[in-house]
Amino acid sequence: MASPSTAQNGVAAAEAFPDGTQDYKPLRSNKYDSKKPHITELPITWGNWYKHVNWLNTYFIIIVPIMGCVGAYFTPLTYRTAIFTVLFYFGSGLGITAGYHRLWAHSSYKAKLPLKIFLAAMGAASVEGSARWWSHGHRAHHRYTDTEKDPYSVRKGLLYSHIGWMVMKQNPKRMGRTDISDLNDDPVVVWQHKNCEPSFPTLLLHLHLKCVLTMSLIFPTVVCGLGWGDWVGGFIYAGILRIFCKQFPNLSSFVRLSRLLTDIVVVQQATFCVNSLAHWLGDQPFDDRNSPRDHVFTALITLGEGYHNFHHEFPSDHRNAIEWYQYDPTKWFIWTMKQIGLAYDLKQFRQNEIEKGRVQQLQKKLDQKRAGLDWGTPLEQLPVISWDDFVAESKNGRALVSIAGVIHDVTDFIKDHPGGKALISSAIGKDATAIFNGGVYLHSNAAHNLLSTMRVGVLRGGCEVEIWKRAQSENKDVGMLFD
Amino acid sequence: MASPSTAQNGVAAAEAFPDGTQDYKPLRSNKYDSKKPHITELPITWGNWYKHVNWLNTYFIIIVPIMGCVGAYFTPLTYRTAIFTVLFYFGSGLGITAGYHRLWAHSSYKAKLPLKIFLAAMGAASVEGSARWWSHGHRAHHRYTDTEKDPYSVRKGLLYSHIGWMVMKQNPKRMGRTDISDLNDDPVVVWQHKNCEPSFPTLLLHLHLKCVLTMSLIFPTVVCGLGWGDWVGGFIYAGILRIFCKQFPNLSSFVRLSRLLTDIVVVQQATFCVNSLAHWLGDQPFDDRNSPRDHVFTALITLGEGYHNFHHEFPSDHRNAIEWYQYDPTKWFIWTMKQIGLAYDLKQFRQNEIEKGRVQQLQKKLDQKRAGLDWGTPLEQLPVISWDDFVAESKNGRALVSIAGVIHDVTDFIKDHPGGKALISSAIGKDATAIFNGGVYLHSNAAHNLLSTMRVGVLRGGCEVEIWKRAQSENKDVGMLFD
Ligand code: HEM
Ligand code: HEM
Ligand SMILES: [Fe+2]
Ligand SMILES: [Fe+2]
Ligand SMILES: [Fe+2]
Ligand SMILES: [Fe+2]
């Protein structure tokens, strides 16, 4: 309380820049002497490893869930608590996806006050910090994707992007600068930030009164306790674990054990997957310069945030999934809120822009594939052969056919020719341009491709007509010329 | 027997051409006076419609199956007859697909004598004519696909290509010329042809002694009759209907009725689908100039002949399906025959050729899609604007930004900018080429696409540098020039 930080004075800490932008300023960085190197700049040793760990985050992300798992093993799950847990799972998940992410980090739609309050409360219940802190990091993630300034860069490993970036202390100088001036103007965000961001020294004293704990643990406990007397179950299941439950009381110990294992799939872990799995697993239909990927599995466990290649290309679109058959309950929630008047100005990129990205990415993949195939010797690398040499060689047992000014060696192909041996043989030593292109048979595209792999030379002058031209220039009588 | 046709003298009728090819010559065309117009050249009227119908084919294709359906309604299906029917369905189907089609029409592999005899016998059992007659028509179908000379062109309607071309008389002059010299050299083909092609006048007397009826009706009747005493069932089910059976004796009358309806799915109808459905339903991954298409449904009912777009591109490939997960039992049968030494020289196009076709077709589709999208006003249609006018207009409330020598109007986009209002506004009236391309943020491909739709002009000279250049030419002092 002795710190002069603005947060203590009722204003969220921010740094203003001359270009009109404002960046987030961590409260606790005040405590470090900027002359001393930050702990993250020192290598991890047996003597200092515990200083590298962010114990507050570790407590919320690892220790509390483990306590929950252990508790679950001893606590029977009642029917009504199970239902409430599922509802609360969706509710607190939407706090992150529809609230922190799409509303505040990306301003992909506008929300009326009641919806904002609901989302801020539910977001707090997910124990992922305040909307202001979360959005600031997320904007840096989008702006500096895959670089050193990306707070959860997948280039540092899947585990790092999933949980390591929170469990280990971060160098405040490293994260990229972002603009959060719009968030500083939003009273709900500022209020939630002041009441959610725990200041470390006062943590143990004050934390229990703050909204994180209120929403995440006390609220579900009270609902289940007052509602149907299941105080412990509400605390363990709806509070700490908030899992998808298929278990019911009185199951065999085998099921109890497997329950213990499935229990680790909590809403927290699920939403963290957006930072890890969504940058690691799946397709890249829009752009493959960076790591974001689309995958239905990621979408299923993150309430629809799994179409992440799309999302990084079109971050301010209120949708993550653009096809009707894709799973994006967050989009459906926002749409429902719009119908009842609580959301408006839903942003959406034009379909034209989306299709352009798809076309370009497909083109890129196609070009890569094309480059790996054999299209025959390029014309400029072929020897030039005269008509007479071509005819002479054809008579010497080499089956040469001239088509469109290019000489092809079909010796090995005669027996395989789909149109039979007789027809292709009848063209040896001749110009078969017309025959091949409809005169006898209009060959398929595949036949043209195959033909190009048989190129052995270019005809001097281009066509059989060449002999007529030469005859004329030598003033010989070749008959019927220019009749 | 009075006809002097070569067939009657023990040699299959053929016409020889100077280029070494031989075409099939229908026996019955002898009976027509070439001076009189062929019946197909006359319009169909109430007085002559029955002359347009090919009654022999109609009998085998329509009347016999209807008789079978009616018979099935009154005949219980025994367990062993059902199994035999399924086996015989596959056997006679393979006679057409592995025999008539891939072996004889396309020479896509070579077969030893026992396999040839088996395929010729099974093919006859399908009542689709002789291998020689069938291959000749099929080669014409490949060579003249979708044209007037295609014997079963889908351009004349789905029903025509399915069954109409057989039920209605055909003008023998119309069908395209093909080379069947290789088939005339194959003794199994010639023998089967002589004993299967019924000559109409002697049909009623001799037909029952010929191999079509022997294989298709007498053989299964005898197997089921001698084997387990089910003479009538063998005749009706394995003989006439040869269906996929899921029915067993003593079912309710409802099931009996639906059985009657499903009964029309016979091996004949199924293989006919190659000519109709395969040119009508599905994708065209290799070429879309003609009608052939790939579809798993067609493949399922035709023992794997449904990958027909591939097949028309690569007709002499012994495979129709190239992916392991596609259904092509005919290919599996040929492969098995190879393992036991009855088939050899299996032809297969190089994967390289197949991929080239795919790449080109994808390219074609992509180009079509690209042409339908808005890529912004082409540069050559934009007005040329001077740097000073650009700056002046930017100050007049129009939000103009210059990037890479092109001027963009971002007025309507500022509020939607995913990077916030402040950053984009800071670029108004300036050259933001560097800022946009990494100076502040390395925009995505989508952002570049979007930008191009906002083009309103081209900067005279290309860049902001223009003012320096002009200043120089006007000999003003602009400082720091060439330092
Ligand atoms: C010179 C090199 C030739 C190559 C590489 C070649 C290649 C092919 C290929 C790949 C096919 C099957 C794909 C398709 O239907 O288009 C084919 C079919 C055919 N070719 Fe050729 N061909 C050649 C020359 C000829 C000539 C000179 C003739 C005629 C004089 C000819 C007549 C035919 C006919 C009639 C077919 C259709 C056969 C059928 O699909 O049943 N080809 N050829
Ligand atoms: C002039 C026209 C501009 C257009 C059409 C435009 C368009 C876009 C688009 C479509 C995105 C989202 C896709 C992506 O991540 O690339 C984006 C993001 C961004 N833009 Fe722009 N932009 C413009 C100008 C600017 C300027 C001048 C700046 C900086 C001075 C800027 C800074 C940013 C930043 C930092 C982001 C990342 C925000 C995030 O993903 O959270 N933009 N812009
Ligand atoms: Fe991401
Ligand atoms: Fe995002
Ligand atoms: Fe076909
Ligand atoms: Fe074929």
Side-chain angles (χ1 to χ4, degrees), chain B residues 101 106 138 142 311:
Chain B
H101 187 218
H106 292 303
H138 191 74
H142 272 267
H311 173 63

Side-chain angles (χ1 to χ4, degrees), chain B residues 4 29 53 55 158 172 216 278 286 318 356 359 384 395 481:
Chain B
S29 64
V53 173
W55 288 104
L158 190 64
S216 70
F286 298 100
H318 79 281
K356 286 196 305 198
V359 162
V384 176
K395 288 193 179 125
L481 197 59

Side-chain angles (χ1 to χ4, degrees), chain A residues 341-360:
Chain A
L342 288 174
Y344 58 105
D345 274 3
L346 275 53
K347 281 190 201 162
Q348 186 163 326
F349 277 80
R350 264 171 76 200
Q351 191 63 20
N352 182 60
E353 300 307 307
I354 297 169
E355 294 302 335
K356 285 197 302 199
R358 260 205 201 119
V359 162
Q360 286 161 328

Side-chain angles (χ1 to χ4, degrees), chain A residues 208-219:
Chain A
H208 296 84
L209 302 171
K210 305 248 173 152
C211 65
V212 171
L213 286 207
T214 311
M215 280 311 298
S216 71
L217 298 177
I218 299 173
F219 169 67

